[in-house]
Amino acid sequence: VQNKIGTRTVKESTDFSKIGGLSNHLKTLRDIFIVPLLHGNVFEYFNIRAPRGVLFYGPPGTGKTLVAGALATELNREGVGKVNFFQRKGADVLDKWVGESEKKLRELFEKASKCRPSIIFFDEIDGLAPTRSQKNDHIHSSIVATLLALMDGLDNKPGVIVIGATNRIETIDPALRRPGRFDRELYFPLPTLEARKEIIQVHTLSWKCKPNIQFLTHIAEATSGFNGSDLAALCSEAVLCCMKRVYPNIENLGNKVKIELDSLKVEECDFMDA
Ligand code: ATP
């Protein structure tokens, strides 16, 4: 089932239950955002600033995009209401015409403010806001300055969350990392043994014959250095290997054979072959 949220289509099923090995991150995000969104009057009363942005950083395929998308669903479930999700790749905002990138940014923040509560997610934000001195060009400088001003302007517009994701945090303009802009930074590491077990569990949850705990431990031990995306691919590949094992000539049978789903029991050897 597909559900239109904001400007992109996300799977309705993308929520925190489909994320393995990142329970501390999920707890932190709930703590950071749910309280201010549900009880904004406390922040107003005490004249304190609610957290506005969070920077996700870490190696590729470790769940940064997945978590950002799932946060909208999770906040919705917690009673915040429908959360609109705006996703942009850093480079998508860049425009060859002078001033156009800034205009696109202003329009995006305006849209997100109009339909609060909302999340703006900048994937690969390093492409949009690299260190100004490093690039040393006035175009990027002006884009970063616009982004800073727009984030500062959210002070009087509670309910807009900005998330940036990057594989190269050291290349982000330091001004964006000051308090009041991206208030928090969350590191997404390569998954540990336990986390790999959880991720494989998540990706095999809908299977009728789920891997048992010894089998799971074995696969997790054999996949040191895999990221979440590799593990998801491994699970898909294991199903294909199982299909090939149960129906060895499947590619030559055309549509003569109807695959019996109950006959497909993915075994350890399928994971190992994959
Ligand atoms: P990049 O930095 O390259 O953009 P990313 O950190 O944003 O990568 P995602 O796009 O979130 O990575 O992950 C890709 C896919 O890998 C997800 O759609 C999901 O299938 C799987 N995946 C990654 N991490 C996890 C996780 N912790 N739990 C479950 N699945 C995961």
Side-chain angles (χ1 to χ4, degrees), residues 168-196:
R168 303 180 301 149
I169 195 163
E170 68 288 351
T171 65
I172 303 274
D173 195 304
L176 274 171
R177 298 175 62 188
R178 281 193 212 121
R181 274 87 183 247
F182 287 102
D183 296 289
R184 311 288 166 97
E185 296 181 353
L186 279 184
Y187 177 61
F188 284 64
L190 277 179
T192 59
L193 178 73
E194 275 313 307
R196 290 198 298 280

Side-chain angles (χ1 to χ4, degrees), residues 18-20 22 60-66 123 167 199 203 228-229 232:
K18 303 290 187 305
I19 298 167
L22 291 170
T62 46
K64 299 183 288 297
T65 309
L66 186 70
D123 203 0
N167 303 326
I199 296 173
H203 285 278
S229 177

Side-chain angles (χ1 to χ4, degrees), residues 80-235:
V80 169
K82 179 178 176 272
V83 178
N84 291 290
F85 189 84
F86 298 87
Q87 179 173 2
R88 296 287 186 279
K89 271 215 164 124
D92 291 347
V93 181
L94 296 182
D95 197 290
K96 61 181 174 175
W97 303 109
V98 178
E100 275 304 305
S101 311
E102 293 84 337
K103 190 170 153 221
K104 279 191 200 169
L105 276 176
R106 276 193 293 272
E107 285 171 354
L108 174 62
F109 274 72
E110 229 166 75
K111 230 177 183 178
S113 304
K114 267 192 196 143
C115 52
R116 288 177 273 163
S118 52
I119 296 176
I120 301 176
F121 176 53
F122 289 112
D123 203 0
E124 298 170 20
I125 194 171
D126 42 289
L128 178 69
T131 330
R132 283 176 281 186
S133 56
Q134 174 204 335
K135 277 275 170 185
N136 202 22
D137 73 53
H138 64 280
I139 298 173
H140 274 105
S141 204
S142 154
I143 294 170
V144 172
T146 304
L147 186 55
L148 291 174
L150 288 168
M151 287 190 77
D152 289 344
L154 292 178
D155 262 349
N156 29 4
K157 288 174 192 141
V160 183
I161 294 167
V162 189
I163 302 176
T166 178
N167 303 326
R168 303 180 301 149
I169 195 163
E170 68 288 351
T171 65
I172 303 274
D173 195 304
L176 274 171
R177 298 175 62 188
R178 281 193 212 121
R181 274 87 183 247
F182 287 102
D183 296 289
R184 311 288 166 97
E185 296 181 353
L186 279 184
Y187 177 61
F188 284 64
L190 277 179
T192 59
L193 178 73
E194 275 313 307
R196 290 198 298 280
K197 270 194 228 174
E198 280 185 33
I199 296 173
I200 299 168
Q201 254 171 337
V202 161
H203 285 278
T204 54
L205 209 61
S206 60
W207 298 5
K208 265 200 189 141
C209 67
K210 298 173 193 45
N212 67 32
I213 193 71
Q214 284 106 321
F215 171 8
L216 207 62
T217 307
H218 189 198
I219 307 296
E221 279 169 355
T223 49
S224 166
F226 279 44
N227 61 27
S229 177
D230 297 330
L231 293 169
L234 178 74
C235 294

